[in-house]
Amino acid sequence: MPADPRDASDRNDRDGHARRTEGSGSCDRGLSRRDWLRVLGVGTVGAGFGLAPTGLLAERAPYDGPLPPSPRPGRPPERVARPFPLTAVELLDGPFREAQERDARYMLDLDPDRLLHNFRENAGLEPKAPVYGGWESQEPWVEIRCHGHTLGHWLTAGSLMYASTGDRRFRDRIDYIVAELAACQEAWGTGLVCAFPDGDETLRRAVNGEPFEGVPWYTMHKIFAGLRDAHLVAGSDRALPVLVRLTDWAWELTAPMSDAAFQRMLDREHGGMNEVLADIHVLTGDERCLTLARRFCHEALLQPLARGVDPLNGLHANTQIPKVVGFERLYEITGEERYGRAARFFWDTVVGERSFVRGGHGDWEHFFPVDTFPRHLHSAKTSETCCTYNMLRLTRQLFAADPSAAYADYYERALYNGILASQDPETGWSTYFQATRPGYVKLYHTPIDSFWCCTGSGLENHAKYGDSIYFRSDDTLWVNLFIPSTVRWEAKRITLRQETRFPEADRVRFSVAVDRPVGATLRIRYPGWCRDAELRVNGRRVDLGAGPGEYMALDRQWRDGDRVELRLPMHLRTEALPGAPDRVAFLYGPVVLAGRLGTEGLYPGADILRNERTSGMILEVPVEVPALAAGADAVTRHVRPVSGRPLTFETVGIGRPQDVELIPYYRLHHERFNLYWELL
């Protein structure tokens, strides 16, 4: 198939699966991690106040302090808000903590020696355990060259889990993996560590402008990012030297390339290499890392986005989002406005024009024209979960620069209906696609024979639920999400405890613990979906001073035992499929409701999928999907709550041929469902 000039290798292979494609000396270590933390006044992870990055500058040590001097034009923008480190936030009982615990159990079930098998083999060392299957070793996945990506994801997820829970088993395993990678690096002798079956041949072919298999730079990005996070989040001092040597290798390998040749290489998917190299620049102060980060910016995407032009039709969705995360990261470092314009325009376009009701987007992993949504409704390959993962990372970055409730509203919707919904509550395994096809099911990966991209990002998703509930500035604490949790604001010596059963109940209670009275502003999100919020401080109702889609600001002297009570009444509403006003989805507050359509053709384990390419080709049986005999302006009047069952509704007298029960999409598993309903 002819290549798109904007994305030259983004084509489908013979079985219809969309390939994931796109287009010397030692780095000066600079300040050590502990030096950075000391300068910034942040304690170590072991002391309980470590850093918890997920790819966003506001989380990692260098982000909270002055950047290294640079002769480049432009001034880094000031961040208005910063997230709290995961070590400062503790989840309390509720669905997010349960998901975190399931994820932790699955992560600890994985054998690090099996994940390390190909790394040791490439280095000429004897493997200690057999390799895992799926994307890590077996046909028909060999040609995508993702071997080793799961190990990188595990390092990031393990670091996040360690910061979130303090469970020493994660830190011990991180130390073991990093030591093994260091041994592989020594055996290689070049700084490279990789798990590809052909060693570094694929990477060298890519750099030489020769035809090459798969997405090697995408996979290498996961290893770079895992080492970065092992160092900054989990406190592994040994990870930084391994990362620096790996960066030296990348510099030396790519230095001879012309800019034109480099851009041609970027036609193939390369993950967030620009972002992670920018991070390494901040860590080490080495200007070459920033130069390489800039070279890894795909101008075919950057230039139109910076001009406010949407180039996304037909492009592989999750190839683009990590690039944009990198654009925003470079804007944060350099102040070059084109990077920031590109990131903001991309977010506005994807969230405002290209997303389904759950916050996901795309079909067969690709963006499609915005006027063709109805044609994609019946696909089983919409809303790749990795895309939602990366959109949330971008959203956090943008919120830090501009703490708008619109960013938090989207984050909440996608978190419930894309991320929490992606995990099998019985196993902790994750989805790849989340279909819009009426009457289809969620499909989950196997424990050892899949290892999709969404398996890896899924490990991370449920390890970091605490990373966006709260943000802070010098004198302000933002509450973005209503999730049972506590946060320790060390600079103010305030602990805020949030207790709630939201969204099953509409009340949230905050309690304050302080050693002595302290002045601060508490800014609580007034969700865009809420009509009539109510706020009380110590039992007395207060003027909100805000409306839906804004923040309610409480600026006061806080005393020990102060309490804030919030009521967020939810209501049922519909949202039309873009371009199809006669197809609507139901929401209650931020929660997308799915219609339950039974278990025809299902049996235990039927929805566990080894090969993601067969999504939509299995479990196909005729399923009757009711239509609703009501107009868009009246349909919610014919839907009522089911007594005694929170967040459960039923249509009344409008279903054709029968009425239907509606429950939260995030709670629906192992049964058939429907999201968008035809109105008669």
Side-chain angles (χ1 to χ4, degrees), residues 330-347:
L330 282 164
Y331 173 59
E332 292 160 342
I333 293 173
T334 69
E336 287 190 32
E337 184 57 35
R338 71 169 188 147
Y339 292 124
R341 284 198 308 269
R344 293 189 296 271
F345 178 75
F346 179 87
W347 190 94

Side-chain angles (χ1 to χ4, degrees), residues 473-476 489-494 514 516 518-520:
S473 65
D474 290 343
D475 296 302
T476 300
W489 190 6
E490 287 301 317
K492 290 289 186 178
R493 303 186 68 81
I494 292 175
V514 294
R516 59 182 183 275
V518 60

Side-chain angles (χ1 to χ4, degrees), residues 557-570:
Q557 286 284 316
W558 296 96
R559 291 173 169 79
D560 192 53
D562 279 348
R563 66 187 189 278
V564 176
E565 295 164 303
L566 175 66
R567 184 168 177 263
L568 297 169
M570 290 173 274

Side-chain angles (χ1 to χ4, degrees), residues 330-639:
L330 282 164
Y331 173 59
E332 292 160 342
I333 293 173
T334 69
E336 287 190 32
E337 184 57 35
R338 71 169 188 147
Y339 292 124
R341 284 198 308 269
R344 293 189 296 271
F345 178 75
F346 179 87
W347 190 94
D348 289 343
T349 300
V350 173
V351 172
E353 301 178 17
R354 293 183 171 274
S355 293
F356 291 101
V357 67
R358 292 169 304 201
H361 56 267
D363 187 12
W364 281 72
E365 306 185 3
H366 287 65
F367 289 114
F368 51 79
V370 295
D371 60 354
T372 64
F373 266 90
R375 300 213 309 259
H376 297 272
L377 180 61
H378 292 269
S379 173
K381 295 189 176 185
T382 46
S383 297
E384 182 185 359
T385 306
C386 268
C387 292
T388 305
Y389 155 86
N390 275 315
M391 282 300 297
L392 291 186
R393 295 176 67 241
L394 177 60
T395 302
R396 297 183 74 248
Q397 287 177 290
L398 296 173
F399 181 89
D402 175 20
S404 162
Y407 291 129
D409 279 350
Y410 170 77
Y411 198 100
E412 177 183 58
R413 180 185 293 212
L415 188 70
Y416 276 99
N417 306 298
I419 301 304
L420 186 62
S422 70
Q423 187 194 63
D424 182 348
E426 296 180 7
T427 63
W429 306 338
S430 301
T431 58
Y432 191 116
F433 299 109
Q434 297 192 50
T436 52
R437 177 184 290 179
Y440 208 57
V441 296
K442 293 179 185 177
L443 300 171
Y444 308 94
H445 69 78
T446 66
I448 61 173
D449 285 317
S450 302
F451 294 108
W452 308 326
C453 49
C454 299
T455 307
S457 59
L459 296 178
E460 299 179 35
N461 282 330
H462 312 293
K464 61 185 180 71
Y465 281 128
D467 72 355
S468 296
I469 303 173
Y470 309 101
F471 279 70
R472 72 198 190 280
S473 65
D474 290 343
D475 296 302
T476 300
L477 190 157
W478 284 264
V479 178
N480 282 347
L481 301 172
F482 307 110
I483 293 175
S485 56
T486 62
V487 61
R488 299 186 309 278
W489 190 6
E490 287 301 317
K492 290 289 186 178
R493 303 186 68 81
I494 292 175
T495 296
L496 184 71
R497 181 181 180 91
Q498 178 181 173
E499 297 173 287
T500 182
R501 290 175 48 242
F502 181 87
E504 292 191 357
D506 64 6
R507 296 180 185 274
V508 185
R509 178 188 172 105
F510 301 94
S511 54
V512 175
V514 294
D515 296 331
R516 59 182 183 275
V518 60
T521 301
L522 183 64
R523 297 180 64 85
I524 304 174
R525 180 171 61 97
Y526 193 141
W529 47 260
C530 183
R531 297 169 179 164
D532 301 302
E534 180 182 308
L535 193 65
R536 294 179 181 271
V537 178
N538 296 329
R540 297 183 62 180
R541 188 163 180 169
V542 300
D543 180 16
L544 300 178
E550 299 177 342
Y551 280 86
M552 299 169 280
L554 295 172
D555 184 6
R556 56 183 279 120
Q557 286 284 316
W558 296 96
R559 291 173 169 79
D560 192 53
D562 279 348
R563 66 187 189 278
V564 176
E565 295 164 303
L566 175 66
R567 184 168 177 263
L568 297 169
M570 290 173 274
H571 65 279
L572 192 69
R573 68 190 191 280
T574 61
E575 185 172 295
L577 180 73
D582 61 340
R583 292 272 186 173
V584 300
F586 290 102
L587 299 99
Y588 187 68
V591 176
V592 174
L593 300 174
R596 304 180 70 175
L597 299 181
T599 58
E600 182 69 26
L602 301 180
Y603 54 85
D607 49 5
I608 305 301
L609 186 66
R610 178 171 175 267
N611 184 347
E612 85 292 345
R613 301 177 185 187
T614 61
S615 297
M617 302 175 191
I618 66 169
L619 302 179
E620 291 191 283
V621 299
V623 177
E624 190 169 51
V625 179
L628 303 181
D633 58 345
V635 65
T636 57
R637 295 201 294 268
H638 301 278
V639 179

Side-chain angles (χ1 to χ4, degrees), residues 586 593-596 639 647-651 660-664 677:
F586 290 102
L593 300 174
R596 304 180 70 175
V639 179
L647 299 178
T648 302
F649 300 82
E650 61 186 2
T651 62
V660 65
E661 182 177 280
L662 302 165
I663 66 171
W677 304 90

